[in-house]
Amino acid sequence: MSDRGIFSDMTTTSIRSAAFAALILGGFPAAPAADAPAGMQVIQVAASEATSRFVPLGIGKSVAIDLPRDIKDVLVADPKIANAVVRTSRRVYMIGVEVGQTNIFFFDAEGRQIAGFDIAVTRDLNGVRGALKQMMPDADIRIEGVGKDAVMLSGSAASAAESQQAYDIASRLVGDGTKVVNGITVRGRDQVMLKVTVAEVQRDVIKQLGIDLSGSFNYGTSVVNFNTTNPFSATGQALSDSYLTGSVKSVNATMKAMERAGVVRTLAEPNLTAISGETATFMAGGEFPIPSGLSCDTTRSPPVCQPQIEFKKFGVSLMFTPVVMSEGRISLKVMTEVSDLSTDNAMTLQATGSTTSLTVPSIRTRRADTTVEIPSGGSLAMAGMIQEQTKQQINGIPGLMQIPVLGTLFKSRDYVNRQSELMVLVTPYVVRAVAQKQLSRPDDGYADPNDPQSVLLGRLNRIYGSTGKTEAKPAGDYRGKYGFILD
């Protein structure tokens, strides 16, 4: 190919690219005809959406427009959606007819565009705007139509509850909540601190009384042998191996009389802080392993199996979700649970052909779940969760155990009484951030002792109290009941 042919192809490509650029940049002024190559036609876009102004209209609503120059020509893309009425040479009325979108352009006597408007005709939302303004006069919330049926909320609200209230009002007035888009931003999300006190008291009383008899009676050539053993089936076993024994001639008697009383107190006071609408959790306890199955390697001969272990949680757990409805009023969803390990309903596992066994304990659970509305600083008491269990069994020799007084020698009594009560106190507060200097740590005022104080005086710390004091002691003596609980 000659150089002349290459130059001709490059010139043709440049002309086509310039024509394509003229189509793309039609909104800009066209180049002068003198600058254009010979034979090239310059195309200019006289009006487009790029130079239009968006105007929302309601059905049957109108807007008056004053134009800077006299109107010669009007173009309405879809007269079924909106219409334009030229009142004077420079004033025009645009009227919304039906839900939809269209555009309107105005031209002067020379064919130049005076103005262009992108019209969106939506449903009339003035009633919804009035209701929002009446219910929330201090909120900056706007509502606009989107498409044919949908609406969108925008603006800002003081709290999440205010945003939700605006969404509920718009959904009710529009008639369908799925057509409402909530684009409201929350200016400041409140934080809620929850102070919880979980207290549980358990009381167990076990009483056992039984007599084991063993011996033989000879009557002539006949011999009667007897042997009774106390099963203590209520608890499953005797509380202790200590007992009293005695014998009369050929009869041995063993008396087992035991009693146990115990009190268990569980207390947890977690403090949690969460943003309004978010969930916070707390767990104080532990996890215990339980077997969940076997994982076997079948590539070996014989197959080698390893137990699979899962961990289950137990202890004091708390989960809450606060929502600040208004100033000083909080909607609170609280779920608390107190669980501990128990030998009741425990399961013993033993592999086939193995002499070892595995005991899996059970979990005793007390759970409370509720949703309430209380003011900031108010307390919610979840009490009355009382459980009492009584078991009593009497075992003995039929007939002989019914004999008054002497029947005690031929029977055993096992009595179990368990009582527990759980109470949960919940107090929410609407809180704000505090400065670091207003907070204190548990180790404030603590200092390690020197060697003479530690060795000679046996002190574990040199200062215990507020910073700046040389030697501090707890103020006052302990006041209140102390000692042991006797029942």
Side-chain angles (χ1 to χ4, degrees), residues 13-273:
T13 304
S14 300
I15 295 175
R16 291 176 180 176
S17 300
F20 182 75
L23 292 176
I24 297 297
L25 305 176
F28 295 93
D35 297 339
M40 177 181 175
Q41 295 181 356
V42 179
I43 301 176
Q44 180 180 1
V45 178
S48 66
E49 294 182 357
T51 58
S52 299
R53 181 181 300 178
F54 177 75
V55 176
L57 284 177
I59 299 177
K61 302 296 182 178
S62 62
V63 59
I65 304 295
D66 289 332
L67 299 176
R69 299 194 301 271
D70 293 343
I71 302 171
K72 182 62 177 180
D73 190 12
V74 179
L75 173 61
V76 180
D78 191 352
K80 296 181 180 179
I81 303 299
N83 198 2
V85 177
V86 179
R87 185 64 178 176
T88 63
S89 60
R90 294 192 178 186
R91 171 166 292 185
V92 62
Y93 300 147
M94 293 185 296
I95 305 172
V97 179
E98 187 179 347
V99 175
Q101 293 184 355
T102 186
N103 48 16
I104 301 176
F105 297 99
F106 300 95
F107 302 93
D108 58 9
E110 298 178 359
R112 294 177 300 178
Q113 178 184 350
I114 302 176
F117 299 95
D118 190 5
I119 309 297
V121 181
T122 60
R123 58 192 307 171
D124 189 9
L125 299 175
N126 288 335
V128 183
R129 293 189 183 95
L132 292 175
K133 190 64 178 178
Q134 182 178 2
M135 296 297 297
M136 293 173 288
D138 299 331
D140 183 18
I141 298 177
R142 298 178 297 274
I143 181 171
E144 301 293 341
V146 178
K148 291 186 178 181
D149 299 327
V151 296
M152 183 179 68
L153 297 173
S154 60
S156 60
S159 62
E162 194 174 68
S163 174
Q164 183 64 31
Q165 184 181 5
Y167 175 79
D168 295 338
I169 294 174
S171 300
R172 182 66 60 88
L173 296 179
V174 170
D176 188 358
T178 60
K179 297 180 180 179
V180 179
V181 179
N182 190 356
I184 301 175
T185 59
V186 180
R187 291 192 295 269
R189 302 186 67 180
D190 294 322
Q191 299 188 56
V192 178
M193 184 187 73
L194 193 67
K195 183 178 181 181
V196 181
T197 300
V198 181
E200 183 185 24
V201 177
Q202 301 179 24
R203 178 178 179 270
D204 293 343
V205 176
I206 301 177
K207 297 179 181 180
Q208 293 179 340
L209 176 61
I211 298 177
D212 295 343
L213 295 177
S214 62
S216 61
F217 290 106
N218 297 328
Y219 184 74
T221 59
S222 301
V223 179
V224 178
N225 296 321
F226 59 91
N227 186 4
T228 62
T229 303
N230 296 311
F232 293 133
S233 18
T235 57
Q237 61 183 358
L239 296 178
S240 176
D241 293 335
S242 60
Y243 47 83
L244 299 176
T245 60
S247 61
V248 178
K249 293 184 179 180
S250 59
V251 178
N252 296 324
T254 301
M255 184 181 70
K256 297 180 180 179
M258 285 143 298
E259 182 177 353
R260 182 174 69 185
V263 175
V264 179
R265 179 172 181 254
T266 304
L267 179 66
E269 293 184 336
N271 292 339
L272 297 178
T273 302

Side-chain angles (χ1 to χ4, degrees), residues 189-371:
R189 302 186 67 180
D190 294 322
Q191 299 188 56
V192 178
M193 184 187 73
L194 193 67
K195 183 178 181 181
V196 181
T197 300
V198 181
E200 183 185 24
V201 177
Q202 301 179 24
R203 178 178 179 270
D204 293 343
V205 176
I206 301 177
K207 297 179 181 180
Q208 293 179 340
L209 176 61
I211 298 177
D212 295 343
L213 295 177
S214 62
S216 61
F217 290 106
N218 297 328
Y219 184 74
T221 59
S222 301
V223 179
V224 178
N225 296 321
F226 59 91
N227 186 4
T228 62
T229 303
N230 296 311
F232 293 133
S233 18
T235 57
Q237 61 183 358
L239 296 178
S240 176
D241 293 335
S242 60
Y243 47 83
L244 299 176
T245 60
S247 61
V248 178
K249 293 184 179 180
S250 59
V251 178
N252 296 324
T254 301
M255 184 181 70
K256 297 180 180 179
M258 285 143 298
E259 182 177 353
R260 182 174 69 185
V263 175
V264 179
R265 179 172 181 254
T266 304
L267 179 66
E269 293 184 336
N271 292 339
L272 297 178
T273 302
I275 298 176
S276 176
E278 301 296 333
T279 301
T281 59
F282 167 84
M283 179 69 186
E287 297 182 351
F288 70 98
I290 61 172
S292 60
L294 293 176
S295 177
C296 298
D297 186 4
T298 58
T299 59
R300 298 184 181 182
S301 180
V304 178
C305 297
Q306 297 292 334
Q308 299 293 321
I309 302 299
E310 290 184 357
F311 289 88
K312 297 294 183 181
K313 296 181 180 181
F314 69 94
V316 179
S317 65
L318 170 68
M319 182 177 66
F320 81 102
T321 304
V323 177
V324 180
M325 305 299 294
S326 60
E327 188 67 27
R329 191 165 60 96
I330 302 172
S331 174
L332 190 64
K333 178 178 178 59
V334 182
M335 195 284 286
T336 182
E337 178 180 303
V338 178
S339 59
D340 55 1
L341 300 181
S342 175
T343 57
D344 298 340
N345 302 322
M347 182 174 57
T348 302
L349 303 178
Q350 184 173 2
T352 304
S354 177
T355 58
T356 60
S357 60
L358 176 63
T359 300
V360 180
S362 62
I363 298 181
R364 183 170 49 188
T365 304
R366 281 78 67 201
R367 183 183 296 111
D369 190 353
T370 183
T371 302

